[in-house]
Amino acid sequence: MTGAPRIEVLDDAAACSDAAAHAIAQALVAAVDRHGRADWATTGGSTPVGIYQVLASAPHRDEVPWQQVHVWWGDDRYVPRDHPLSNVLPLDQVLLSASARAGLSGSGADAADIELGLEPGLWLPPAHVHAPQMTRAIADGSGLDAAVAAYDAELRADGPPVGEAGVPAFDVVLLGIGPDGHVLSVFPGSPLLDDTEAWVAAVPAPTHIEPHVPRLSLTPRILAAAVSVVVVVHGAGKAAILASVLGPERDERRWPAQLARRENATWFLDRAAAAELPTLPG
Ligand code: 6PG
């Protein structure tokens, strides 16, 4: 029995980003209060960008004890960290403004932001930003399996405590939902749905969905172990898949995002994405 998630339907994508940023900030503050650090597994795609902008602004930039926060990724693509497809790049660019901090001009946007008087990004201890080591694996030719092994080892050495089902219990997991109903890089029919051992796995390039690049993914068992899960879905393009994922038929093999229909989860939807939901499900 996984229980029912909390579902909030908000006006638009900006409102979803505000609400999700607030939920993440609350979870991080509560975790630091409880045990002196917070472990956040974030996501890729376009969903986190607006959330990072809100988190990097007042009040969250000042209220969250960022130096105690550890960031991990639920999944990443097998591309270098500064590649447009990287799931790490949005965090580097938007939450941390890494290029501005390094004194680089980057695209020019960061420098213009500073001239406009906008605040630079947050500072987290570099050792707390646990990005999968894709750049190194590509550069030295060791390959995706080496990146998977390194990420697994890093989680075991410096990750959150092990919780339910023998997997790390993150304080907060942020998820977007793919157009096929995937979460993390757990695609429909994925062998990860049956794997009861691995924490991290290599995922071959999907052929049914872009981008067609191999991935690294955490096991979906982290969703049950997490203190809290935040799911964000916005835009009319997600309305049809959301109607299936939150619909009456349960089939997690077909729609892995249903694994996030659990009582430790809050789903933030905008009206456009929620448009085809007949009734809000339990
Ligand atoms: C990935 C992403 C993926 C993403 C969803 C939603 O590597 O494929 O992590 O799981 O979160 O596809 O994508 P959008 O946020 O762009 O809608």
Side-chain angles (χ1 to χ4, degrees):
M1 183 61 192
T2 53
R6 203 156 66 88
I7 297 182
E8 287 190 26
V9 180
L10 301 161
D11 279 343
D12 52 23
C16 290
S17 294
D18 280 346
H22 183 67
I24 292 166
Q26 270 190 326
L28 298 175
V29 170
V32 172
D33 283 350
R34 259 194 330 272
H35 49 83
R37 71 179 259 179
D39 286 274
W40 168 23
T42 191
T43 186
S46 54
T47 300
V49 173
I51 297 171
Y52 293 157
Q53 282 165 345
V54 178
L55 285 172
S57 310
H60 303 307
R61 65 177 293 126
D62 307 314
E63 287 175 0
V64 175
W66 290 106
Q67 296 190 20
Q68 273 73 53
V69 173
H70 289 247
V71 186
W72 304 83
W73 274 262
D75 69 328
D76 194 11
R77 287 90 176 253
Y78 188 54
V79 293
R81 182 169 172 160
D82 60 352
H83 189 282
L85 290 177
S86 168
N87 282 354
V88 179
L89 184 66
L91 185 118
D92 279 347
Q93 284 189 324
V94 182
L95 194 73
L96 308 182
S97 297
S99 58
R101 287 197 171 276
L104 303 174
S105 59
S107 64
D110 293 327
D113 288 349
I114 289 166
E115 280 186 6
L116 289 171
L118 300 178
E119 290 168 297
L122 303 173
W123 188 82
L124 268 67
H128 291 190
V129 180
H130 302 273
Q133 296 296 322
M134 300 303 197
T135 313
R136 182 181 305 165
I138 292 165
D140 69 13
S142 54
L144 178 57
D145 286 342
V148 167
Y151 197 57
D152 182 271
E154 193 166 338
L155 259 180
R156 288 176 197 274
D158 198 19
V162 172
E164 200 175 309
V167 293
F170 291 95
D171 295 301
V172 56
V173 178
L174 173 64
L175 296 175
I177 288 190
D180 57 348
H182 78 263
V183 277
L184 306 164
S185 281
V186 181
F187 296 103
S190 167
L192 273 174
L193 294 160
D194 299 311
D195 191 322
T196 55
E197 295 297 324
W199 287 9
V200 191
V203 177
T207 52
H208 69 292
I209 195 169
E210 289 187 337
H212 306 298
V213 292
R215 322 290 188 88
L216 165 160
S217 184
L218 291 179
T219 166
R221 291 178 291 134
I222 61 156
L223 302 179
V227 178
S228 60
V229 176
V230 173
V231 185
V232 181
V233 190
H234 40 70
K238 295 278 171 74
I241 190 63
L242 198 60
S244 299
V245 168
L246 291 180
E249 190 186 340
R250 287 301 279 254
D251 185 349
E252 289 159 357
R253 200 161 290 282
R254 184 166 172 201
W255 300 298
Q258 289 187 334
L259 291 165
R261 281 176 64 173
R262 33 187 347 114
E263 63 191 359
N264 60 347
T266 307
W267 292 54
F268 297 106
L269 319 176
D270 74 350
R271 285 191 199 292
E276 293 181 30
L277 296 181
T279 52
L280 287 181

